[in-house]
Amino acid sequence: PPSGVSSGALSPFDRRLKRKQKNWAALQAEPAKCDYLREEVGGRIADRVFDITRTFPLALDVGSGRGYIAQHLTKETIEKLVQVDIAENALKNAVDSEIPTVRVVADEEFLPFREDTFDLVVSSLREVVEFPSLEALQIHHVLKPDGVFIGAMFGGDTLYELRCSLQLAELEREGGFSPHVSPFTAVSDLGHLLSRAGFNTLTVDTDEIQVNYPGLFEVMEDLQGKYILKCMGESNCSWNRKPLLHRETMLAAAAIYREMYGNSDGSVPATFQIYYMIGWKFHESQARPAQRGSATVSFGDLAKIDGLLSRGKK
């Protein structure tokens, strides 16, 4: 890890379970049925790469999976790409790209690269919890000065319909509740975390992807067995996870879900909030804000602008 970073802290996630889940997910038949979120977000990250008018000689995709971002990129923008994932099966089943690519099996929290190596780092839907501070430091460490990081992660309102319905049902039937979906970060924490990792000129924006299902059981089927979060290898890996939901609790949750959030056609929505973030590694050539107190015009004069313009036209 970079200097000053301790690797001894206990992660709230079971990394061995995470690896097993992602390896399992990569072997499932018809992955497109489960990967549509990653495919969509991968394309949106690629759009943000194209918005930066430069060519990147060497790029890194952290937690690349089957190559959800790379398939949308071009060799005119990325000259060479390194894909890293904790699950070897994901890399074995990676989608072909026109970009010359090297694939490395490694834990994304401990990147095996030297400092100042990459011109660009991308990462899509790596975790369903807060973007790990250790991983942010790792990414900043391997970026070259004036290099850029572009990432996406699930936001704090993701699956709020499901989480609220399960919690209310468990409180009613069992007198308490336990998390069945990993926790999500708040956008207010994201900029602070990236700043602490050393990134500057930060940009964070958000959007939502809503998917409709026949009912709660179909949502759960898509999220936890053959489904979205587990197919993406991102199902609940928190150490305090609760293994089972009682049938009576599930039936109560399904009724609550439909009553509180149901659509007029009888379906129920599941909302996925996505945060997109862009951060740069400092370089002397980058534009910097002017020194405090160096302004030559007062904000109080802004109110006079319309009058001055009108007078000039006359």
Side-chain angles (χ1 to χ4, degrees):
S3 59
V5 177
S6 172
S7 60
L10 177 63
S11 168
F13 289 92
D14 186 337
R15 302 297 296 172
R16 287 176 296 180
L17 177 58
K18 176 73 67 177
R19 183 172 188 170
K20 288 181 180 179
Q21 287 178 342
K22 294 191 75 174
N23 269 320
W24 176 89
L27 295 177
Q28 298 311 296
E30 301 182 89
K33 288 185 177 180
C34 304
D35 286 348
Y36 56 85
L37 273 177
R38 282 200 181 278
E39 300 279 357
E40 177 64 26
V41 174
R44 297 185 187 189
I45 289 179
D47 288 340
R48 286 162 171 78
V49 174
F50 294 139
D51 287 340
I52 301 173
T53 55
R54 66 167 67 174
T55 297
F56 299 97
L58 183 62
L60 172 67
D61 185 352
V62 178
S64 61
R66 296 176 52 251
Y68 307 102
I69 303 174
Q71 61 184 308
H72 299 286
L73 298 170
T74 65
K75 59 184 178 182
E76 286 76 28
T77 302
I78 309 294
E79 294 181 354
K80 187 175 182 179
L81 177 67
V82 178
Q83 294 178 323
V84 170
D85 201 280
I86 195 173
E88 58 271 21
N89 289 338
L91 295 176
K92 288 177 183 178
N93 295 319
V95 178
D96 290 333
S97 168
E98 65 178 49
I99 304 169
T101 302
V102 175
R103 298 184 176 100
V104 178
V105 178
D107 190 331
E108 301 93 338
E109 290 190 0
F110 302 96
L111 297 174
F113 306 108
R114 294 180 179 178
E115 185 177 6
D116 302 342
T117 298
F118 297 96
D119 305 279
L120 166 71
V121 176
V122 294
S123 178
S124 178
L125 301 183
R126 271 283 301 113
E127 295 284 359
V128 293
V129 70
E130 67 174 56
F131 191 69
S133 56
L134 177 59
E135 188 170 323
L137 283 166
Q138 290 276 306
I139 290 174
H140 185 270
H141 184 74
V142 302
L143 269 175
K144 291 180 180 179
D146 201 34
V148 60
F149 165 62
I150 303 177
M153 60 179 293
F154 287 110
D157 288 338
T158 294
L159 298 174
Y160 70 88
E161 306 99 336
L162 174 64
R163 288 183 288 147
C164 182
S165 300
L166 289 174
Q167 289 175 6
L168 289 174
E170 280 193 290
L171 283 170
E172 176 189 338
R173 298 302 173 97
E174 302 179 34
F177 66 88
S178 175
H180 295 278
V181 179
S182 297
F184 302 91
T185 192
V187 69
S188 58
D189 299 328
L190 193 54
H192 179 61
L193 191 149
L194 292 174
S195 294
R196 284 195 307 165
F199 291 98
N200 59 14
T201 319
L202 300 174
T203 303
V204 178
D205 65 284
T206 180
D207 64 12
E208 292 184 349
I209 299 174
Q210 190 174 89
V211 183
N212 291 322
Y213 295 88
L216 177 139
F217 291 101
E218 287 77 12
V219 175
M220 295 294 289
E221 183 182 4
D222 209 26
L223 294 178
Q224 289 186 27
K226 28 185 193 208
Y227 14 44
I228 297 173
L229 291 185
K230 197 165 184 180
C231 275
M232 294 194 307
E234 301 292 352
S235 58
N236 187 9
C237 291
S238 55
W239 290 99
N240 65 340
R241 61 190 178 273
K242 183 178 177 180
L244 294 174
L245 277 167
H246 296 108
R247 176 176 174 79
E248 291 182 359
T249 302
M250 289 290 293
L251 290 171
I256 292 170
Y257 203 140
R258 193 175 301 279
E259 179 65 26
M260 292 183 61
Y261 305 108
N263 298 316
S264 58
D265 63 358
S267 64
V268 297
T271 299
F272 298 88
Q273 184 182 39
I274 313 296
Y275 294 155
Y276 298 92
M277 52 200 144
I278 301 176
W280 295 78
K281 188 169 182 176
F282 176 76
H283 187 267
E284 288 291 341
S285 65
Q286 293 173 348
R288 280 173 285 179
Q291 186 176 354
R292 184 177 179 87
S294 62
T296 57
V297 178
S298 169
F299 277 109
D301 294 333
L302 293 177
K304 305 175 184 178
I305 289 178
D306 288 339
L308 292 172
L309 290 175
S310 299
R311 193 180 310 164
K313 289 179 181 178
K314 291 179 181 178

